[in-house]
Amino acid sequence: MPRFLRPLTQAVTYTRWLHLLIGSAIALIGAFVTPGLSSPSTGDWVLIALQPIPLVAAAPLLLPSLRRAEGLQARLMLFAGQHARVPGGQEDHGISVAPSASWRDRSRTALWAVLRLEAGCAAMLVTVQLLGIALALLGSTSEPGDASGLFVPLPDQNPLNALFVPIPVAALLAVMVVAGRLMASAARHLLGPSPKERLAALEERTEQLLERNRIARELHDSIGHALTVAVVQAGAARAAADPEFTDRALDAIEETGRAALEDLERVLRVLREDERPASRRPTLADADRLLESARASGAKVETEVTGPLESVPGPVSREGYRMLQESLTNVLRHSGPVPVRVRIAVGDGVLGMEVLNTLPEGRPPTGRGGSGLRGIRERATLLGGRATTGPREGEWQVHVELPLR
């Protein structure tokens, strides 16, 4: 099918024209109730089109909710949705459906209402004239051309006139396509979101992206830690060939896997927006679970905790737990079961956390951090703190400082 004919196969072309015709309803009602207009002249029709303007313009200024009504109509009838046979899905309409929040919104809605009124009157006039010409060419009237009410003089009755019927029909279809697109463009400008609404939408989108990044980091930390512990434990059990050690390794794998499944279920509940509350996210008060998991994997973990962990604010404590989890995961993944020193200090408005581990021989550090170390630094920055990672005097260090206020 030629490209210029495709709009004729789309339902949105005809819903746009219907939207235009509906806009003339107030003017037509005024014409019906105005006395002395049984045979209106051209000047009378102009008056009919201009008379409702004050009422139409005043309504959106007085009723902010009319902006929502106009926006909903425009979304449904001016843009391609499920009702339109348009490949590729929903068309981006960019139309606001919120009530007017400022006088600027009210004035834009009033201008749209006036535009819709006048465009509707023009659309009604064009429809009546072109369809009337087509019907007259078919011989449906015996009135002379000057008495038919049509602006275009018609030739005398002749059966061959029917051959010219496609001309007014094609003209009407072309006007429908062009006028519909112009009205859709005008709707985007006059009914589109205000600067305040755009800012609110941008903030909402930013919050969604931040939440997605947080969920991705949590999945990376939790599942990565569980898989690392499982791999290290399985390898150590195979190398030890000791039934008692194998039992301990399987217990550690089971406990770590169960904790990872709990984290995964909690995250999936959030993504599904389930009505059930998600389980509590772990905090530094649950750090013993991480330390025991690392010890069960063969690492010699020394812990030093100073200050009240229960006084740490929830967001800081939860992020601190994830940083500690990622730090221990990196130790097991890259260095294996080596001695590890963990220091956690709470005091002077700062949470300090440090993880030091011995570097294995024959594998010098590259100094390049992967996504895990980058995630630690990003978490610290979002909380207003700082994190440093890298080698120091034959050890690998992760040092974090987070403000408590």
Side-chain angles (χ1 to χ4, degrees):
M1 177 181 296
R3 184 175 181 180
F4 68 92
L5 292 180
R6 290 178 186 173
L8 302 181
T9 65
Q10 299 171 359
V12 70
T13 300
Y14 305 99
T15 59
R16 286 173 174 174
W17 193 248
L18 178 61
H19 185 269
L20 277 169
L21 297 179
I22 293 174
S24 65
I26 295 180
L28 293 179
I29 293 174
F32 292 149
V33 300
T34 301
L37 288 181
S38 57
S39 299
S41 63
T42 302
D44 292 332
W45 284 117
V46 173
L47 181 62
I48 289 171
L50 298 179
Q51 212 171 18
I53 289 181
L55 176 62
V56 170
L61 296 176
L62 300 176
L63 300 174
S65 59
L66 283 182
R67 181 175 181 81
R68 171 179 289 172
E70 291 293 340
L72 290 172
Q73 289 186 64
R75 278 191 178 187
L76 178 64
M77 305 184 73
L78 293 181
F79 298 93
Q82 296 180 353
H83 63 284
R85 303 166 187 166
V86 179
Q90 181 79 18
E91 183 179 344
D92 182 19
H93 44 70
I95 301 297
S96 172
V97 293
S100 298
S102 65
W103 282 104
R104 183 174 184 272
D105 289 345
R106 298 188 188 197
S107 61
R108 292 168 65 205
T109 309
L111 181 59
W112 164 258
V114 173
L115 173 63
R116 187 180 175 192
L117 168 68
E118 300 306 317
C121 292
M124 181 63 70
L125 177 64
V126 169
T127 301
V128 170
Q129 290 293 318
L130 291 178
L131 289 182
I133 293 173
L135 292 174
L137 290 174
L138 285 174
S140 61
T141 177
S142 59
E143 295 180 353
D146 54 356
S148 63
L150 301 177
F151 294 160
V152 178
L154 297 176
D156 296 333
Q157 294 293 328
N158 190 321
L160 296 179
N161 291 343
L163 298 177
F164 300 97
V165 170
I167 296 178
V169 173
L172 177 59
L173 293 175
V175 172
M176 289 172 59
V177 173
V178 175
R181 290 180 176 177
L182 290 176
M183 286 299 291
S185 178
R188 286 193 176 98
H189 287 86
L190 298 177
L191 297 179
S194 64
K196 184 178 180 180
E197 291 172 333
R198 290 193 183 97
L199 181 59
L202 180 61
E203 291 177 349
E204 181 180 359
R205 175 61 176 166
T206 302
E207 290 295 329
Q208 292 175 351
L209 291 177
L210 289 175
E211 181 67 11
R212 289 176 59 184
N213 288 335
R214 184 188 65 78
I215 291 175
R217 284 197 302 267
E218 287 203 9
L219 284 177
H220 172 272
D221 295 345
S222 179
I223 306 302
H225 176 77
L227 292 177
T228 299
V229 169
V231 170
V232 172
Q233 290 281 11
R238 175 179 294 176
D242 182 357
E244 185 177 351
F245 182 85
T246 300
D247 290 340
R248 292 200 303 271
L250 291 175
D251 290 339
I253 291 174
E254 180 183 6
E255 181 180 354
T256 306
R258 186 179 293 111
L261 286 175
E262 291 176 358
D263 286 342
L264 180 60
E265 182 180 1
R266 176 182 54 77
V267 171
L268 292 178
R269 284 180 182 177
V270 173
L271 293 177
R272 290 195 301 264
E273 298 182 350
D274 200 331
E275 294 181 356
R276 296 176 298 171
S279 58
R280 183 181 65 89
R281 293 174 58 193
T283 65
L284 284 176
D286 306 310
D288 288 342
R289 185 176 71 179
L290 291 177
L291 301 175
E292 290 301 324
S293 177
R295 292 189 182 102
S297 299
K300 300 177 181 179
V301 182
E302 297 181 4
T303 307
E304 180 183 344
V305 180
T306 58
L309 287 180
E310 62 275 6
S311 66
V312 179
V316 177
S317 187
R318 289 190 291 267
E319 296 302 316
Y321 176 91
R322 292 304 183 188
M323 295 180 191
L324 177 60
Q325 183 181 53
E326 181 59 30
S327 300
L328 295 175
T329 301
N330 283 335
V331 172
L332 296 174
R333 181 181 298 159
H334 301 292
S335 300
V338 297
V340 182
R341 299 196 305 277
V342 177
R343 298 171 184 167
I344 303 175
V346 181
D348 297 330
V350 176
L351 168 65
M353 189 168 58
E354 186 176 56
V355 179
L356 297 169
N357 66 275
T358 304
L359 290 173
E361 297 181 0
R363 283 192 289 174
T366 63
R368 299 189 301 269
S371 59
L373 296 179
R374 184 171 60 252
I376 292 176
R377 292 190 290 268
E378 289 176 352
R379 289 176 188 269
T381 301
L382 288 174
L383 293 173
R386 62 188 181 90
T388 57
T389 61
R392 191 194 72 171
E393 299 178 358
E395 294 181 318
W396 184 269
Q397 175 196 44
V398 176
H399 183 80
V400 179
E401 291 184 0
L402 301 176
L404 299 180
R405 293 187 291 272

